[in-house]
Amino acid sequence: TPFWLAGEELLRSKGGNGNSYDASDEVNNLDWDALTAESMVMAMRDFYRDLIAMRKANAFLKDADVTCEVNESDGSITVTYTQDDETVAIARINPTGVDASFVLPEGEWGVLMNGKAVSAEPMDTVSGEVIVPQMSVYLVRK
């Protein structure tokens, strides 16, 4: 089950207060006025909206068996989704400050996340080697 704090999708930081239980309304209120056309806040809200749509449209995110492996050479993480002993999707998480390359298993893969965008349906198809941008997730499905 996905979970995030209210306001995370609006880039709310609460001024760094790690426990705002008894903080003022100024700290805890959501800043709805920040949702303006073309703002970073609106872009982040839209990103979360698209993440929710992607999860709803791709049952493997809820139903598949998941394995994770840390790539020692570049610090990236590979998440493999399998169903009936077949790989149905792969996510490559790159938490580093440099782009990382990743060689996909043989075949055509539909891109659901590419480090810049997220989509419920594949926005492109790839095969072979892909570049995973720094500080991002690259998710493909069969």
Side-chain angles (χ1 to χ4, degrees):
T1 301
F3 177 80
W4 60 84
L5 300 173
E8 186 174 307
E9 74 282 13
L10 301 178
L11 299 176
R12 184 176 120 186
S13 70
K14 297 196 285 182
N17 187 332
N19 183 5
S20 65
Y21 171 74
D22 61 354
S24 68
D25 288 346
E26 183 177 298
V27 171
N28 284 310
N29 282 345
L30 298 176
D31 182 11
W32 296 106
D33 294 332
L35 278 171
T36 59
E38 307 303 318
S39 70
M40 286 184 65
V41 174
M42 185 69 83
M44 183 58 73
R45 194 253 359 220
D46 292 349
F47 183 77
Y48 271 73
R49 179 199 60 210
D50 294 344
L51 279 173
I52 293 166
M54 181 193 59
R55 183 173 185 273
K56 287 180 178 181
N58 291 279
F60 74 84
L61 290 166
K62 297 175 274 186
D63 301 335
D65 294 320
V66 177
T67 58
C68 297
E69 181 181 333
V70 176
N71 183 337
E72 300 290 333
S73 67
D74 66 9
S76 64
I77 301 162
T78 302
V79 181
T80 305
Y81 299 85
T82 57
Q83 292 178 313
D84 299 324
D85 295 322
E86 181 182 341
T87 300
V88 295
I90 301 171
R92 185 72 166 222
I93 303 165
N94 181 3
T96 72
V98 296
D99 293 350
S101 65
F102 176 57
V103 178
L104 293 166
E106 193 172 313
E108 291 284 316
W109 296 85
V111 179
L112 298 174
M113 294 181 74
N114 63 8
K116 297 178 185 173
V118 58
S119 177
E121 295 300 322
M123 60 186 108
D124 194 8
T125 57
V126 293
S127 61
E129 185 176 11
V130 296
I131 301 299
V132 182
Q134 61 185 344
M135 306 292 289
S136 72
V137 177
Y138 199 97
L139 174 63
V140 295
R141 74 171 194 204
K142 277 273 185 180

